[in-house]
Amino acid sequence: MVKIQHDHIPKLDDYRKIVGKDVIDKLRESSEHLRDKHIVHINATAVGGGVAEILNTLVFLMNDLGIDTGWRILLGSHSFFKITKGIHNSLQGGKWSMTSNRKHVYMEYCKRNSIINHISDHDIVVIHDPQPLGMIEDYELKTHWLWRCHIDISHPNPDTMKFLLPYIRKYNGVILSHPKFKIKNMKKPQVIIHPSIDPLSTKNKNITKSKAKQMLSKRGIDTDKPIISQISRFDPWKNHFGVIRMYEKLRKEHKDCQLVLMGDMAADDPQGPMIYHKVQQKTEKIPDIHIITEKNDLLVNALQRQSSVIFQNSIKEGFALTVSESLWKGTPVIGTSAGGIPLQVIDGKTGYIINNEKEGVKRALNLLNDHSLRNKLGKQGKEHVRKNFLITRHLQDYVDLFSRIYPPSRL
Amino acid sequence: MVKIQHDHIPKLDDYRKIVGKDVIDKLRESSEHLRDKHIVHINATAVGGGVAEILNTLVFLMNDLGIDTGWRILLGSHSFFKITKGIHNSLQGGKWSMTSNRKHVYMEYCKRNSIINHISDHDIVVIHDPQPLGMIEDYELKTHWLWRCHIDISHPNPDTMKFLLPYIRKYNGVILSHPKFKIKNMKKPQVIIHPSIDPLSTKNKNITKSKAKQMLSKRGIDTDKPIISQISRFDPWKNHFGVIRMYEKLRKEHKDCQLVLMGDMAADDPQGPMIYHKVQQKTEKIPDIHIITEKNDLLVNALQRQSSVIFQNSIKEGFALTVSESLWKGTPVIGTSAGGIPLQVIDGKTGYIINNEKEGVKRALNLLNDHSLRNKLGKQGKEHVRKNFLITRHLQDYVDLFSRIYPPSRL
């Protein structure tokens, strides 16, 4: 028996002052009948990337609601994670081939995880992303299995999808981040749940302007010059090179600005160090560029707060929660229309959607030159996030979904 | 119910041809009464470092014996792992202070892991290393909890030990890698189990000389020149700088040799990138040095096979399994007397123990210049490992320990 004491572990009541009493009350009332249900989440990594961040709050808020919620981190070798990264990229449309050897290694590691995890007696199993997807193969399905896919699978590599589809179809349902990600010929329910950010996490909590400035100064960033930034993992889909090109053009018009590229490398992503190295080579001779790989959520917080403009120049995205993080700090975002970016960046209201780099340069210049425009978009962005992309809304969506599986008894 | 099918998952019978029938038969017979016991291992990381490697085989061999053995990976934030690295280093004697804030973060994350793992009904819980140590605080102890410590805690920082000791004492027993690591005033049983290597893993399995050479050539290493190497994580305790100094002196006597420093960075070790960076700066102007951070077990295998001499120049060590890995490939090792190195490097028989860098240079020169000496030590090293440091011996030690907790019924 675990003696749960919350301390600084996320508690629902802490969110009351941010989202209001009604939101919290509804969460408690609507989840009453789910008390003591036994749920388990399984994903690839405990640190790094949006999925881990969400689970780090969501799992504990579920426990706070009285739902007995476990969380397991996938076991995997380097070669396994290389393969799951290939699956990940090719589900987003990248070229890659699911060879029979790769299939074998993938399924063997799913089986290893099935052997060492004892999850057959849970009321609901939530499997996150493709890494642990195949684990379902090793279980006699006595309970409800949900596949929670966080990535854009609207135009998957057909071979990869052909390999995964038989496993996906064994699930009782699939959760996607956006309607356009829905799987064709799925034959099972597909539910849309947008991801979210935690306004009380180190990355998003309120910090003072002077604290933020001090942190940036310490890393050699001039806090008197405008800061343009992109915060995203070093990953081929984030198009860091496009941001660098836009910055080079911007500097011709607005000489005193600087670019910060900040991103960590997740434990399950062997491509990170390679992209990082290329970005460093590319930027060696360009002035006022700062590349930060420090894993430091408070520094991300400071950077998002102090930036004048933030780019999210992704080619493909699951959802791009960094956009909501930036908007939550009142900073407008210039983004592509990949994945969930347009749900967060309302063109002309919370930032700008761009179709090419020329537009990106133009919009960034506008924002750099117009303080009151930046402020207006910033305020609107924050309200947009409060309504739609905070963790409490996310939790309510899960409660509603679980209630479809285990409905409250009728009076 | 998990449908276990082994495929390439480690199976005991695969080891028969390496260790002999008797060893396997004894394992099966002596564990018969432990069938269906429910055991769980908890450690910090699934990939990177010796502990993860051991568990990747040991856990599956335990399942193959019929012991129902789970494995959980610890959840942690970056700040948590920074603290556990501080605990780790200071348990090895490093200066570090367990501030009240650090204590708080450490215990809070232990509690998070207690909330999301449901382990109170297991027959034996094995907690590995200091990271999950504090989890015991959150459980009513109905079953047997063992703390398996893999590091050298013979001269710990007193403050860190003072903080941890009340938790350690709650365990039913402690497992250490070496008698000299025993804890003073422990008041609970302390058992010695040496760690081990898996002779069938990618890192240790047999590969051809031509395959090994091809892999090294591809990384720019000249396979016609003698190779000196050190294979170890980028970590302050491995003394990479001492190896570099010895190499610089060696080159004055033996111009055609080259140095390879290969090491990955574990997910739980934020210090890795810093040390790596310093090593790179230091070696920029020294000829024929190769630094490899590629996570590639087959490449480690090739390098250990093709090296003429391998250094293990550690200041502190838990056990230094890289020594057994190298010896298993017939390559002599020159090591310090830190941790478990002298158990593996028998001076003059399987390699040399050195007390200073001058000795290291002298011994390396001897080995470089004397092919038949290298061969003789290499053969003796392999037999030493076969008898003492393979995973099957390790498994037997666990079976014997579990049998002390749950003895076979008397006839």
Side-chain angles (χ1 to χ4, degrees), chain A residues 104 107-108 111 138, chain B residues 4-11 14:
Chain A
H104 177 81
M107 290 312 294
E108 199 221 278
K111 197 162 286 158
D138 302 305
Chain B
I4 298 176
Q5 292 167 17
H6 279 288
D7 289 320
H8 286 142
I9 292 167
K11 279 183 306 183
D14 301 337

Side-chain angles (χ1 to χ4, degrees), chain B residues 125-325:
Chain B
V125 176
V126 187
I127 297 287
H128 291 260
D129 279 342
Q131 299 95 336
L133 175 65
M135 283 179 71
I136 198 165
E137 187 66 7
D138 302 305
Y139 285 85
E140 291 161 15
L141 297 184
K142 295 187 295 185
T143 57
H144 279 78
W145 283 59
L146 300 170
W147 186 46
R148 200 317 174 208
C149 176
H150 296 264
I151 58 180
D152 178 352
I153 51 170
S154 51
H155 299 91
N157 175 313
D159 280 354
T160 305
M161 202 42 153
K162 195 178 158 196
F163 168 69
L164 294 179
L165 206 51
Y167 304 114
I168 299 174
R169 283 198 183 129
K170 291 196 173 185
Y171 283 77
N172 299 87
V174 172
I175 307 169
L176 299 159
S177 291
H178 199 293
K180 65 186 175 188
F181 300 168
K182 281 195 176 178
I183 303 164
K184 286 173 196 96
N185 308 314
M186 172 59 193
K187 299 173 188 166
K188 288 285 177 70
Q190 300 191 67
V191 178
I192 307 305
I193 297 185
H194 298 321
S196 63
I197 65 167
D198 178 356
L200 295 180
S201 71
T202 309
K203 207 192 249 182
N204 297 313
K205 70 182 182 185
N206 225 347
I207 58 171
T208 63
K209 220 176 170 60
S210 69
K211 170 76 184 166
K213 281 188 172 183
Q214 184 205 340
M215 290 190 77
L216 297 177
S217 296
K218 239 180 143 176
R219 272 81 181 176
I221 297 165
D222 183 346
T223 55
D224 293 329
K225 279 188 193 180
I227 299 167
I228 297 154
S229 55
Q230 174 161 298
I231 296 128
S232 49
R233 277 164 65 166
F234 288 95
D235 174 311
W237 302 107
K238 307 298 182 189
N239 196 4
H240 287 92
F241 301 104
V243 176
I244 295 163
R245 280 190 298 272
M246 288 190 272
Y247 171 70
E248 285 188 279
K249 281 179 195 146
L250 253 176
R251 271 189 69 94
K252 288 183 188 157
E253 309 280 336
H254 202 288
K255 285 223 160 50
D256 71 340
C257 64
Q258 54 198 327
L259 176 65
V260 183
L261 297 173
M262 180 164 182
D264 67 355
M265 304 171 204
D268 64 334
D269 184 358
Q271 284 197 59
M274 197 189 72
I275 298 286
Y276 166 69
H277 182 68
K278 282 188 188 166
V279 166
Q280 267 205 324
Q281 282 184 320
K282 185 81 191 169
T283 57
E284 246 170 19
K285 288 172 188 165
I286 307 172
D288 292 336
I289 295 195
H290 304 266
I291 300 172
I292 302 177
T293 55
E294 200 180 327
K295 283 187 191 178
N296 186 333
D297 283 347
L298 203 61
L299 187 60
V300 171
N301 190 333
L303 180 59
Q304 286 169 335
R305 249 165 239 286
Q306 289 306 114
S307 292
S308 297
V309 183
I310 292 184
F311 277 110
Q312 190 65 49
N313 194 40
S314 314
I315 296 163
K316 288 271 175 185
E317 269 298 346
F319 202 79
L321 278 178
T322 43
V323 172
S324 278
E325 289 166 19

Side-chain angles (χ1 to χ4, degrees), chain A residues 1-10 38 46-47 56 59-60 63 68-78 81 104 108-109 111-112 114-118 120 122 137-140 142 267 295-296, chain B residues 1-10 38 46-47 56 59-60 63 68-78 81 104 108-109 111-112 114-118 120 122 137-140 142 267 295-296:
Chain A
M1 170 66 105
V2 181
K3 296 176 270 169
I4 298 176
Q5 291 167 17
H6 279 287
D7 288 321
H8 285 143
I9 292 167
H38 206 174
V47 201
N56 263 296
V59 165
F60 296 99
N63 275 291
D68 193 4
T69 309
W71 180 12
R72 308 284 169 80
I73 306 302
L74 203 65
L75 162 111
S77 64
H78 184 59
F81 284 125
H104 177 81
E108 199 221 278
Y109 267 88
K111 197 162 286 158
R112 285 185 189 229
S114 300
I115 291 172
I116 62 169
N117 281 292
H118 306 105
S120 47
H122 286 70
E137 187 66 7
D138 302 305
Y139 284 86
E140 290 160 16
K142 295 187 294 184
K295 283 188 191 178
N296 186 332
Chain B
M1 170 66 107
V2 180
K3 295 177 271 170
I4 298 176
Q5 292 167 17
H6 279 288
D7 289 320
H8 286 142
I9 292 167
H38 206 174
V47 201
N56 263 296
V59 165
F60 296 98
N63 275 291
D68 193 4
T69 309
W71 180 12
R72 308 284 170 80
I73 306 303
L74 203 65
L75 162 111
S77 65
H78 184 59
F81 283 125
H104 177 80
E108 199 221 278
Y109 266 88
K111 197 163 285 159
R112 286 186 188 228
S114 300
I115 292 172
I116 62 168
N117 281 291
H118 306 105
S120 47
H122 286 70
E137 187 66 7
D138 302 305
Y139 285 85
E140 291 161 15
K142 295 187 295 185
K295 283 187 191 178
N296 186 333

Side-chain angles (χ1 to χ4, degrees), chain B residues 34-78:
Chain B
L34 297 169
R35 287 190 78 85
D36 302 326
K37 286 283 177 210
H38 206 174
I39 314 281
V40 65
H41 294 270
I42 303 183
N43 84 312
T45 168
V47 201
V51 181
E53 273 169 41
I54 287 170
L55 289 174
N56 263 296
T57 301
L58 193 70
V59 165
F60 296 98
L61 293 184
M62 283 185 178
N63 275 291
D64 191 25
L65 284 178
I67 307 170
D68 193 4
T69 309
W71 180 12
R72 308 284 170 80
I73 306 303
L74 203 65
L75 162 111
S77 65
H78 184 59

